[in-house]
Amino acid sequence: MFVHEYQAKKLLKRFGFYFPDGEVAHSAGEARALIDRLSGDEWVVKAQILAGDRGRFGGIRKADSASDVEKETRNLLGSTLVTPQTGADGIKVNTVYIEQAVKIECELYLAILLDRYQRELVLLASQRGGTGIETALEDAPDTLHRLTLSVDEAPDEAVLLGLADKMGLSGELVNDYVDTCSNLHRAVNELDALSIELNPLAVVEDNRLATLDVKMEIDDNALFRHDEYSEIRERNRLHDRKFRAQSGFNYVQLEGNIGLLVGGAGLALATMDLLKLHQLEPANFLDLPPIATRQDVANACQTVLQGASVDALFVNAVGGGLTHCDTIAEGLITVHMQEKIRCPIVVRFAGTKREHGLTLLKNYRVPIEHAETMDEAIDILRRKNRR
Amino acid sequence: MSILINSRTRVLCQGFTGYRASFFAHRAIEYGTKIVGGVVPGRGGQTHLNLPVFNTVKEAREQTNASASVLFVPPQAAKDAVFEAIDAGIELIVCITEGIPILDMLRIKQHLQNTSARLIGPNCPGVITPGQCNIGIMPASIYQQGKIGVVSRSGTLFYEAVAQLCREGLGQSTCIGIGADVVSGMTFVDCLKLYKHDPGTEAVLLIGEIGGAVEEEAAEYLASLNYPKPVVAYIAGRNAPPYLRMGHSGAIIAAGRGGTDKKIEALRDANVTVVNSPVEIGTTVRRAVR
């Protein structure tokens, strides 16, 4: 999961990073009141959304008085920000972070993250920090320096000194930079982060390095060893309406009209590809948990049917290791008993407990059409779709 | 013939007495797999499914001469359990556990270096040589003995592909579910290298999907040599929703990798027959081996 800037800064505080003074506000009044507690005479009001590129699209506002802070907070809260990373609908702002403004001499980029392609932990560093880092690096890929790291062994100091040199740093800033790199490595290790990007990591007045913005992703698999994340997770989930992860299944609503209830992500992806090949449009992507219970299937089915415009439901299951066809059938029956499913249902069962699943559906009079293969299922769906 | 496992492979089960482990170990034994014992710390000396339980992998290996181990331990204990298996000299470690922290997987990968141990998974269905040995959670009844090697990242799509092969009368030599986690053990390339020398494998089917770079690596490997057997691939996810395409961090280092189009292009350039529709997997392999 991604965490907000203010949450990341709070989590990182104990690792010795320097951040400008800042606090969170949920209302304009709160924002005005907290100015007395913040140093400086100029501030930035920053919208807290889980998407980048806020600066260029009005998500970060300058203010030089308490009333100005109050005004900008009022403008931002409740508004919807649209940036290239939010999607066309944008994301509604519920929280702002108010931070002391600092004078920036230059902006660097520093990150430690999991390289999903090389499958290793890497440190990435560039002199071209700030907004538009992605395009800057596309234009000049050689300005990105890359270092492979071990998870548990601290990065080599001599290598980090060399890196500081490549960043064009000198004097006090060199040690500051080496420490920042080491602290970042320790933070990734101890927080089970998949990525922590400091961007910009800025040289500011008084000749020191300040982390002005942080983008951070936590490994969901490691939540069991971090009690501190449960509150963050609950808070952020409330506001994430597009992507639902409830009772363990992933659901993404799409534009089409064929609802999909498919066991396993791989088969779900293949089913979507097959529909598209036959000019049918999926209404959703859904990934059932590997060990799905009857209730999981029922919840997933209900979520799919509540999607905007489902004209037909395609249930595609290959009973395998952990989830068998009869469990899928029981989930369907549960939904059907509560509230009759009105749209056509095409069921394709194969593998473990196929017969039992089909018998159950028949006994409980769930009106389905059974297909032996995916091909046959597509034929039925196309016929239904034409009507 | 086969790769990795056969009828003589002696298998341990770590986390043996748990509900899932018991269920699948029982099924594997019925299939003829030589499960020779289990490991559960604190339960050494007991018997389970008529087999001995040991406190440590080391002890179990000494007593049973097992060369493979299948792990059904919870994610909290997975790193230590895999380390233990590696240190005890287990040659093939099949990790079914899902939800292992990614930094733990990086630690495991580092520990695997400089050993000859192989890891399959985690978060995978396992490995099967039909008619001989079934390690993991795969429904053995759908597999048939034959000469096609199958490697898949996905579980359910794996079963679908195998069912299609059987419909075409094509049995399998050894089928490997490598799992779809970001960091895992054996890759497509590792499997291709083993199939290359296996006289029992006539052709190889790869089932890939969007994300990561193991398909690109397979293409690079196949393009680098004159691979002696036909290779067919299906890549799922051409129409994946945007969240799956770019929901993760690290876009800066993607450098065009991970998308299905690039994977397919790279595989085609390496002389791999790429299946267009997921219902044509079986028929395409049949044409490739004729």
Side-chain angles (χ1 to χ4, degrees), chain A residues 30-40 43 65-66 69-70 98:
Chain A
E30 205 182 335
R32 188 188 178 107
L34 63 81
I35 284 303
D36 293 338
R37 300 200 295 273
L38 292 182
S39 0
W43 301 274
S65 67
V69 166
E70 185 182 344
I98 296 156

Side-chain angles (χ1 to χ4, degrees), chain B residues 190-226:
Chain B
D190 297 324
C191 299
L192 284 166
K193 284 179 178 168
L194 294 178
Y195 286 125
K196 181 168 175 260
H197 300 292
D198 175 35
T201 300
E202 212 170 73
V204 182
L205 169 63
L206 306 176
I207 309 287
E209 61 187 53
I210 190 166
V214 285
E215 293 83 3
E216 287 87 334
E217 287 166 13
E220 200 177 314
Y221 165 73
L222 290 168
S224 74
L225 80 173
N226 196 5

Side-chain angles (χ1 to χ4, degrees), chain B residues 14 57-58 61 67 69 71 78-94 104-120:
Chain B
Q14 288 174 255
V57 181
K58 186 166 178 286
R61 179 165 160 73
S67 65
S69 182
L71 276 72
K79 191 205 85 188
D80 289 344
V82 175
F83 269 47
E84 200 192 333
I86 296 170
D87 296 341
I90 296 289
E91 289 155 35
L92 181 70
I93 301 160
V94 181
D104 282 355
M105 277 313 302
L106 291 173
R107 292 178 174 109
I108 288 170
K109 246 187 97 181
Q110 192 177 355
H111 199 68
L112 272 170
Q113 277 170 5
N114 309 319
T115 75
S116 57
R118 295 178 193 279
L119 172 70
I120 297 178

Side-chain angles (χ1 to χ4, degrees), chain A residues 274-290:
Chain A
L274 185 63
L275 289 182
K276 286 274 194 178
L277 276 174
H278 294 274
Q279 288 80 46
L280 292 166
E281 294 293 329
N284 63 281
F285 169 80
L286 175 88
D287 183 10
L288 282 172

Side-chain angles (χ1 to χ4, degrees), chain B residues 141-242:
Chain B
S141 59
I142 66 168
Y143 297 83
Q144 287 173 9
Q145 293 179 46
K147 295 192 160 184
I148 310 296
V150 187
V151 194
S152 177
R153 285 173 70 188
S154 148
T156 44
L157 188 53
F158 193 8
Y159 309 147
E160 168 67 31
V162 167
Q164 287 185 28
L165 289 178
C166 293
R167 271 208 302 275
E168 299 297 325
L170 297 166
Q172 304 87 42
S173 56
T174 299
C175 298
I176 311 165
I178 55 173
D181 276 12
V182 178
V183 183
S184 51
M186 288 186 75
T187 63
F188 285 137
V189 172
D190 297 324
C191 299
L192 284 166
K193 284 179 178 168
L194 294 178
Y195 286 125
K196 181 168 175 260
H197 300 292
D198 175 35
T201 300
E202 212 170 73
V204 182
L205 169 63
L206 306 176
I207 309 287
E209 61 187 53
I210 190 166
V214 285
E215 293 83 3
E216 287 87 334
E217 287 166 13
E220 200 177 314
Y221 165 73
L222 290 168
S224 74
L225 80 173
N226 196 5
Y227 199 76
K229 301 170 187 192
V231 180
V232 176
Y234 172 70
I235 310 296
R238 275 180 168 176
N239 299 289

Side-chain angles (χ1 to χ4, degrees), chain A residues 2 84 109 113-122 124 133-134 137 144 146 150-153 188-189 192-195 197 217 219 221-222 224-225 243 250 252 254 263-274 276-278 285 290-291 316 318-322 324 348 351-352 372-375, chain B residues 20 23-24 27 75-76 96 98-104 106-107 109-110 123 137-139 141-142 154 156-157 159-160 163-164 167 181-184 187 209-214 216-217 234-244 246-255 257-258 276-279:
Chain A
F2 283 94
Y109 171 87
L113 49 83
L114 170 75
D115 181 335
R116 290 173 182 271
Y117 305 92
Q118 301 295 117
R119 283 99 69 193
E120 60 191 15
L121 201 60
V122 293
L124 301 176
I133 170 85
E134 283 90 354
L137 291 174
L144 181 70
R146 180 197 160 100
S150 152
V151 176
D152 294 318
E153 293 151 42
V188 165
N189 181 305
D192 268 302
L194 297 181
S195 78
E197 288 179 275
E217 188 183 5
D219 182 3
N221 286 354
F224 66 79
R225 55 190 179 203
F243 163 60
N250 296 338
V252 183
L254 303 169
L267 190 62
L269 289 173
T271 306
M272 292 175 68
D273 290 346
L274 185 63
K276 286 274 194 178
L277 276 174
H278 294 274
F285 169 80
I291 319 174
N316 188 14
V318 182
L322 302 171
H324 303 153
R348 182 278 181 141
T352 313
E372 287 291 334
T373 61
M374 289 210 281
D375 252 346
Chain B
R20 280 170 68 198
F23 177 80
F24 290 108
R27 245 177 38 174
Q76 292 88 330
I96 307 300
E98 62 138 344
I100 300 178
I102 290 184
L103 292 189
D104 282 355
L106 291 173
R107 292 178 174 109
K109 246 187 97 181
Q110 192 177 355
N123 191 16
I137 61 173
M138 292 189 274
S141 59
I142 66 168
S154 148
T156 44
L157 188 53
Y159 309 147
E160 168 67 31
Q164 287 185 28
R167 271 208 302 275
D181 276 12
V182 178
V183 183
S184 51
T187 63
E209 61 187 53
I210 190 166
V214 285
E216 287 87 334
E217 287 166 13
Y234 172 70
I235 310 296
R238 275 180 168 176
N239 299 289
Y243 131 78
L244 284 179
M246 49 197 224
H248 299 298
S249 58
I252 282 176
I253 45 173
R257 292 170 296 182
N276 197 32
S277 161
V279 299

Side-chain angles (χ1 to χ4, degrees), chain A residues 27-160:
Chain A
S27 73
E30 205 182 335
R32 188 188 178 107
L34 63 81
I35 284 303
D36 293 338
R37 300 200 295 273
L38 292 182
S39 0
D41 47 19
E42 216 185 338
W43 301 274
V44 274
V45 181
K46 304 163 96 175
Q48 298 297 295
I49 57 168
L50 294 175
D53 231 347
R54 294 168 302 168
R56 287 200 297 152
F57 294 85
I60 296 178
R61 314 278 179 92
K62 285 210 159 182
D64 58 9
S65 67
S67 63
D68 227 15
V69 166
E70 185 182 344
K71 191 185 89 192
E72 294 300 352
T73 303
R74 185 170 292 125
N75 288 342
L76 277 175
L77 286 177
S79 73
T80 298
L81 274 187
V82 183
T83 84
Q85 298 180 25
T86 59
D89 295 343
I91 299 178
K92 195 175 157 199
V93 182
N94 295 299
T95 308
V96 295
Y97 187 61
I98 296 156
E99 198 174 58
Q100 176 198 357
V102 289
K103 200 159 155 274
I104 298 168
E105 308 282 339
C106 81
E107 295 184 323
L108 308 173
Y109 171 87
L110 178 67
I112 295 182
L113 49 83
L114 170 75
D115 181 335
R116 290 173 182 271
Y117 305 92
Q118 301 295 117
R119 283 99 69 193
E120 60 191 15
L121 201 60
V122 293
L123 179 148
L124 301 176
S126 172
Q127 265 184 294
R128 307 195 174 196
T131 38
I133 170 85
E134 283 90 354
T135 43
L137 291 174
E138 248 169 56
D139 296 343
D142 51 326
T143 58
L144 181 70
H145 301 278
R146 180 197 160 100
L147 211 63
T148 303
L149 300 180
S150 152
V151 176
D152 294 318
E153 293 151 42
D156 188 70
E157 198 172 300
V159 176
L160 295 181

